[in-house]
Amino acid sequence: MPGILTEDFEAFRLKIRHFVEKELDPISTQVEQNAEIPEKIVNRMRELGLFGLSIPKSYGGLGLSTLQEVIIYEEITRTNACHRSRIGTSNGIGSMGILYDGTEQQRQNYLPRIAKGEWTAAFALTEPDAGSDAANICASAVLKNDCWVLNGTKQFITNADTAQVFTTLAVTDEIKRARGGVTAFIVEQGMPGLLVGAADLKMGLKGSHTHEVIFKECQVPRENVIGGMEKVGQGFKTAMRVLDKGRLSMGACALGASQKIMELCIQKVQKKIAEGLPKSQTQAVQFDLADMAIEIYGARQMLYHTASLRDSGKNVTSEASMVKVFCTETASRIAERAIDIFGMDGGLTENQVETFLRDVRLYRIYEGTSEIQRIIIAKNLLKK
Amino acid sequence: MNFELNKEQQQIKKAAKDFVKGEFKQEIIHDFVKNKAYPSKILKKAGELGFLGIHFPEEYGGEGLSPFEQMLIAEELTIGHSTVGACLALSGYGTDILLNHGSEQQQKTWLPKIAKANVISSCAFTELSLVDNFEDYHTTAVKDGDSWVINGGKRFVVNGEQDGEPYGGKTGFYIVLCKTDFGTTTPEKGLSTILVEADRQGVSSANVGNMLGTRLLPLTNVDFNTVRVPLKNLIGNEHGGHSQVVEFSNHSRLLIASMAVGMAQGAFDRALSHVKQRKQFGQKLIDFQVTRHKLSEMITLIETARLITCRAALVCEQGVGNAKYCSMAKLVATQTAIRVADHALQLLGGYGYMDEYDVEGYYRDAKMLEILEGNNHLQKDIIADTIA
């Protein structure tokens, strides 16, 4: 544990570890099968302050540093991934835009409620024709009288079903587009013309739902531009800043899952040996475990180092991309190997590694695919 | 060396492709997947058109062809759809043991029913718990008058009877691996295979639970509680079960390898059609060099896997030393299927993660094929034994 972490933080980390082991993990198969987190558990998350990890204390959050936040993410992803996803958008992409670029009034209005978990925040950027190419969004916003009128369709929006507040992006100047023509808005559930579609059917993260979000002549008050009217046209920058930070969080999620998968494999191998399988017949599996440990060790050093750099004020755009690619690709490799170690038992949902394999696959796709990360890294390397 | 299919093989391949095109309608398949229903109707059609048991003798409903042609069909089926294709390709699971060792009566009774898809067949080989010592082998068959009395239980039984599933596949029989010699300490000398009709009293079967992949393929735990079957239900020689199962596993690995090649190809085809249409950053994905190279890697892997699978099929036809090639084919083909499906999923991005685009299912199903019939560690053990 890096020396800069306080005793208070260590106590909090242990509290979260205990919560995960005693309250989340025992219901993880149930959550998977019902595709839902019980509200009782969400209330526990609220009590523990998990919705406000990254929101400053002055706005009612815990105000954790980046390093502290990734360590907590690592803890909470040692079980079914949908639990982290439930708090993820409020800690990250859904709220950070308001924190970074919002007006003081917007911060005071939204952040304390988000931090307490009273309101869940979501981030609506992706559209059917704008995935990796986020600058290609079509949703539009036009100022009519005292209201912005939004039209467009967003897709794969995490927590859209539980969100009371959406950070979304729309084109306000068709000519300038990403260079000064995209604006970030705060849209609240209940505003006329905001529609949330049915939950998507997807490979994993069954207990965390993504939806289509449709703006149909959706009326948003004039003052709901993030940062106020002088920030009209600056939304793309806000979105990129939000995603930039999220990459370290994604790395942490993948690392937490990897660590847990390895521990499950260690238990399985120990059980096989106890049941009489000679150690000589587990040599290949021992090497698999060693490879997992090597990759996890490397991934953790990258993650902690980059988080610390960010906390010291350095720009870590490239490094954060490296962390996301390495940690998330490592998680897939480890999950695939884990299924081999378990054999047919690994294919059974009740044995957890099956769910991990499906869940970690998403980390390589959302909040910037591995390909987008490589583009960012290469661009910085070749920059003159 | 000849890498071309003969005329008959080309026709079989084309017929299978046409069948898939005609019968694997997306809305019907998505309905099966959504309801976790066994694809009985498509299977029945495949039986009527002669795609099942093509390597059975003609008098038993087959075409008298070789496993090679069976592989060609399996590949086309899983190109069409990974899960439905897997159900069809494995509908006669274990019947090869009857084909190679069964009595005339057993063959006459069951092979035509499998070929016509009146029933599906099942093997019950895997013991409930790890068997470290043959003395602890749990499933036993004891002679009592004119009957075998079977007691025990098996797990991960492919095509086991499913309880209460909508349109579940109808299991005809289980080939059960039982301990029959209690004086020996080695499975090579003490195991026999016995045919147990699924409707015998004392047989009960229950789903193993949610699985990673091939979710329409029945996979159950089967319990045998004082099940009585006639002595003539013994398959082949008494105490000859172990070698029958080893021989069958080779054949089965070859079949799985060809299904894996099909899954890799099916995932590739879907990714290719996506990148040809999808535009990002003002150009089609296929026009990015990185995409083109990824596709090149994928198709090269597929061609390599197909070649070694064909090689294994040809070696099997000659009936020599096939353990090595069957395991090599399974090793290469399943790894290929996983890698290619993983790349395909990535090429589809967020869409790749969604059920309706099928590719996520190819990834899960490919991973299932890798652990069916022994994981890769086991295949490497087998290959190593043949080269030492």
Side-chain angles (χ1 to χ4, degrees):
Chain A
M1 193 62 42
I4 51 170
L5 296 171
T6 61
E7 269 176 40
D8 279 357
F9 174 74
E10 182 59 12
F12 179 63
R13 187 183 73 82
L14 288 174
K15 194 156 96 178
I16 300 306
R17 170 162 291 204
H18 191 79
F19 172 62
V20 169
E21 279 174 9
K22 296 285 183 274
E23 297 179 55
L24 300 189
D25 216 32
I27 60 160
S28 85
T29 309
Q30 177 203 326
V31 164
E32 181 64 20
Q33 272 158 10
N34 300 346
E36 199 161 31
I37 306 172
E39 194 55 23
K40 190 175 80 184
I41 292 291
V42 180
N43 281 332
R44 288 284 293 132
M45 293 173 168
R46 291 181 176 118
E47 282 167 28
L48 290 163
L50 287 168
F51 284 90
L53 298 173
S54 55
I55 293 172
K57 284 184 179 155
S58 50
Y59 298 111
L62 297 180
L64 299 187
S65 68
T66 310
L67 179 60
Q68 290 172 331
E69 191 188 339
V70 297
I71 289 170
I72 295 303
Y73 266 22
E74 211 186 321
E75 291 294 340
I76 203 168
T77 45
R78 290 166 51 85
T79 183
N80 191 303
C82 69
H83 297 113
R84 197 290 311 180
S85 187
R86 184 65 183 79
I87 61 165
T89 51
S90 290
N91 278 300
I93 52 178
S95 65
M96 288 298 107
I98 299 172
L99 178 66
Y100 296 153
D101 292 330
T103 62
E104 194 48 43
Q105 204 193 342
Q106 286 168 344
R107 289 177 185 166
Q108 282 181 5
N109 189 23
Y110 293 103
L111 295 180
R113 283 191 265 201
I114 294 172
K116 284 199 202 79
E118 241 170 74
W119 281 16
T120 295
F123 180 66
L125 169 64
T126 299
E127 295 181 7
D129 290 317
S132 289
D133 186 6
N136 194 38
I137 58 169
C138 296
S140 64
V142 180
L143 190 60
K144 279 185 192 158
N145 304 323
D146 267 350
C147 267
W148 290 97
V149 179
L150 268 64
N151 278 292
T153 300
K154 301 291 180 178
Q155 71 175 5
F156 308 149
I157 307 307
T158 302
N159 291 338
D161 52 343
T162 47
Q164 278 81 5
V165 48
F166 295 84
T167 307
T168 193
L169 283 298
V171 178
T172 42
D173 185 329
E174 188 51 49
I175 294 159
K176 291 186 187 157
R177 298 194 60 90
R179 296 171 194 279
V182 170
T183 302
F185 296 93
I186 303 167
V187 182
E188 288 179 29
Q189 184 58 266
M191 286 180 175
L194 168 69
L195 307 164
V196 175
D200 297 317
L201 295 173
K202 57 191 188 323
M203 177 156 102
L205 277 122
K206 302 273 189 197
S208 163
H209 310 149
T210 66
H211 299 256
E212 195 171 62
V213 172
I214 301 157
F215 301 115
K216 196 174 175 191
E217 299 289 312
C218 178
Q219 309 216 357
V220 178
R222 186 185 151 92
E223 62 271 18
N224 277 31
V225 171
I226 293 185
M229 287 302 284
E230 69 261 36
K231 287 279 190 181
V232 169
Q234 302 302 306
F236 199 68
K237 267 188 222 160
T238 302
M240 290 304 112
R241 243 184 111 188
V242 166
L243 289 173
D244 203 41
K245 191 217 166 194
R247 286 176 187 136
L248 292 178
S249 307
M250 284 291 108
C253 294
L255 178 61
S258 300
Q259 175 73 35
K260 177 69 180 189
I261 297 168
M262 180 174 74
E263 289 171 15
L264 291 168
C265 289
I266 292 169
Q267 285 168 16
K268 179 76 179 176
V269 173
Q270 284 170 339
K271 187 163 170 266
K272 278 187 188 176
I273 292 171
E275 281 171 357
L277 196 69
K279 268 194 176 173
S280 61
Q281 274 188 38
T282 60
Q283 195 184 24
V285 165
Q286 290 179 48
F287 274 46
D288 278 345
L289 291 179
D291 284 339
M292 289 182 183
I294 293 165
E295 290 180 38
I296 288 171
Y297 190 65
R300 184 170 288 124
Q301 307 319 308
M302 278 174 88
L303 175 69
Y304 287 3
H305 182 66
T306 309
S308 304
L309 284 179
R310 186 176 188 278
D311 284 333
S312 70
K314 299 239 166 47
N315 179 325
V316 293
T317 298
S318 269
E319 289 83 352
S321 288
M322 292 179 198
V323 167
K324 183 176 188 264
V325 172
F326 189 75
C327 292
T328 60
E329 293 186 353
T330 292
S332 274
R333 272 194 301 275
I334 287 179
E336 284 186 2
R337 272 191 229 124
I339 303 276
D340 296 344
I341 289 174
F342 275 73
M344 283 296 281
D345 283 320
L348 269 174
T349 301
E350 65 187 52
N351 287 322
Q352 277 189 303
V353 288
E354 185 274 340
T355 309
F356 274 115
L357 177 80
R358 287 183 288 109
D359 289 353
V360 299
R361 189 63 187 79
L362 187 55
Y363 296 147
R364 289 156 60 197
I365 298 170
Y366 69 175
E367 298 197 25
T369 61
S370 297
E371 289 69 31
I372 289 299
Q373 309 309 328
R374 287 185 167 92
I375 289 172
I376 292 168
I377 297 162
K379 204 179 256 178
N380 279 321
L381 291 172
L382 294 171
K383 192 166 61 184
K384 282 187 184 156
Chain B
M1 236 192 231
N2 183 5
F3 286 97
E4 297 303 316
L5 298 178
N6 67 34
K7 200 155 184 194
E8 189 179 19
Q9 289 164 343
Q10 285 175 24
Q11 282 168 352
I12 289 168
K13 195 174 161 72
K14 181 168 182 307
K17 210 180 257 304
D18 290 345
F19 167 72
V20 163
K21 210 173 158 194
E23 299 297 325
F24 285 31
K25 294 287 180 218
Q26 195 155 29
E27 58 283 7
I28 296 173
I29 285 184
H30 284 177
D31 210 40
F32 282 134
V33 172
K34 211 172 133 195
N35 298 315
K36 291 201 179 165
Y38 189 78
S40 301
K41 280 181 191 160
I42 304 181
L43 178 72
K44 193 83 192 120
K45 193 97 189 203
E48 283 163 15
L49 293 172
F51 290 114
L52 308 174
I54 197 164
H55 59 304
F56 297 170
E58 285 179 46
E59 68 264 38
Y60 297 141
E63 307 274 340
L65 294 165
S66 78
F68 190 90
E69 284 78 19
Q70 190 196 5
M71 307 299 124
L72 289 179
I73 293 170
E75 185 184 329
E76 291 303 328
L77 293 174
T78 45
I79 290 174
H81 188 267
S82 57
T83 313
V84 171
C87 289
L88 267 57
L90 294 174
S91 66
Y93 194 69
T95 305
D96 286 277
I97 292 181
L98 284 193
L99 182 66
N100 295 327
H101 302 282
S103 65
E104 199 187 326
Q105 187 57 41
Q106 288 165 347
Q107 295 187 350
K108 209 162 99 183
T109 308
W110 292 108
L111 296 189
K113 286 185 183 157
I114 297 295
K116 289 284 165 272
N118 293 334
V119 294
I120 59 177
S121 60
S122 178
C123 300
F125 294 162
T126 308
E127 286 286 282
L128 287 175
S129 57
L130 184 87
V131 182
D132 182 45
N133 191 334
F134 188 62
E135 275 154 32
D136 302 333
Y137 202 92
H138 177 62
T139 306
T140 57
V142 180
K143 281 183 204 167
D144 180 30
D146 55 0
S147 301
W148 289 103
V149 178
I150 301 171
N151 277 294
K154 300 285 184 176
R155 59 192 313 231
F156 294 122
V157 175
V158 172
N159 289 348
E161 195 146 50
Q162 301 196 91
D163 32 56
E165 296 288 319
Y167 352 96
K170 176 143 182 45
T171 308
F173 61 87
Y174 299 95
I175 294 177
V176 188
L177 191 60
C178 308
K179 183 173 179 174
T180 45
D181 187 338
F182 298 85
T184 177
T185 52
T186 64
E188 287 82 359
K189 291 182 192 158
L191 291 169
S192 303
T193 54
I194 296 175
L195 188 152
V196 176
E197 294 84 352
D199 52 8
R200 289 276 176 196
Q201 206 170 7
V203 179
S204 57
S205 166
N207 269 324
V208 295
N210 285 339
M211 291 295 292
L212 171 66
T214 56
R215 289 178 182 158
L216 306 186
L217 183 72
L219 209 53
T220 70
N221 295 330
V222 184
D223 185 59
F224 300 95
N225 183 8
T226 329
V227 177
R228 296 186 86 93
V229 298
L231 289 179
K232 65 178 168 48
N233 275 29
L234 176 75
I235 302 168
N237 297 330
E238 196 172 341
H239 314 318
H242 185 265
S243 66
Q244 290 172 21
V245 171
V246 169
E247 178 192 82
F248 165 72
S249 296
N250 289 330
H251 180 81
S252 176
R253 282 173 191 137
L254 175 58
L255 185 59
I256 288 173
S258 53
M259 289 159 61
V261 172
M263 286 186 192
Q265 185 70 53
F268 176 87
D269 292 350
R270 282 161 178 79
L272 181 63
S273 97
H274 178 82
V275 298
K276 278 178 168 174
Q277 286 166 23
R278 176 82 170 163
K279 267 185 164 181
Q280 290 283 271
F281 303 103
Q283 67 185 77
K284 288 190 172 152
L285 293 188
I286 195 165
D287 294 327
F288 288 94
Q289 189 187 27
V290 169
T291 308
R292 295 163 58 79
H293 283 193
K294 191 61 78 189
L295 291 168
S296 303
E297 273 174 40
M298 291 158 76
I299 198 71
T300 306
L301 283 172
I302 294 169
E303 199 58 36
T304 309
R306 187 176 283 129
L307 277 174
I308 195 164
T309 304
C310 286
R311 172 89 163 110
L314 290 173
V315 172
C316 281
E317 271 186 11
Q318 292 153 10
V320 285
N322 53 24
K324 176 165 125 187
Y325 284 101
C326 290
S327 285
M328 283 177 170
K330 182 175 185 280
L331 181 67
V332 172
T334 57
Q335 282 182 350
T336 293
I338 294 163
R339 280 287 60 76
V340 169
D342 184 64
H343 289 322
L345 199 158
Q346 192 70 18
L347 285 170
L348 267 82
Y351 296 103
Y353 201 72
M354 300 294 149
D355 293 0
E356 74 174 284
Y357 292 83
D358 290 346
V359 174
E360 64 86 28
Y362 274 77
Y363 176 69
R364 291 186 290 99
D365 291 351
K367 192 68 194 161
M368 275 299 288
L369 290 192
E370 190 187 45
I371 51 178
L372 264 175
E373 290 292 348
N375 66 4
N376 283 341
H377 287 310
L378 182 72
Q379 307 310 320
K380 288 176 193 172
D381 283 341
I382 293 169
I383 297 165
D385 284 344
T386 67
I387 55 180

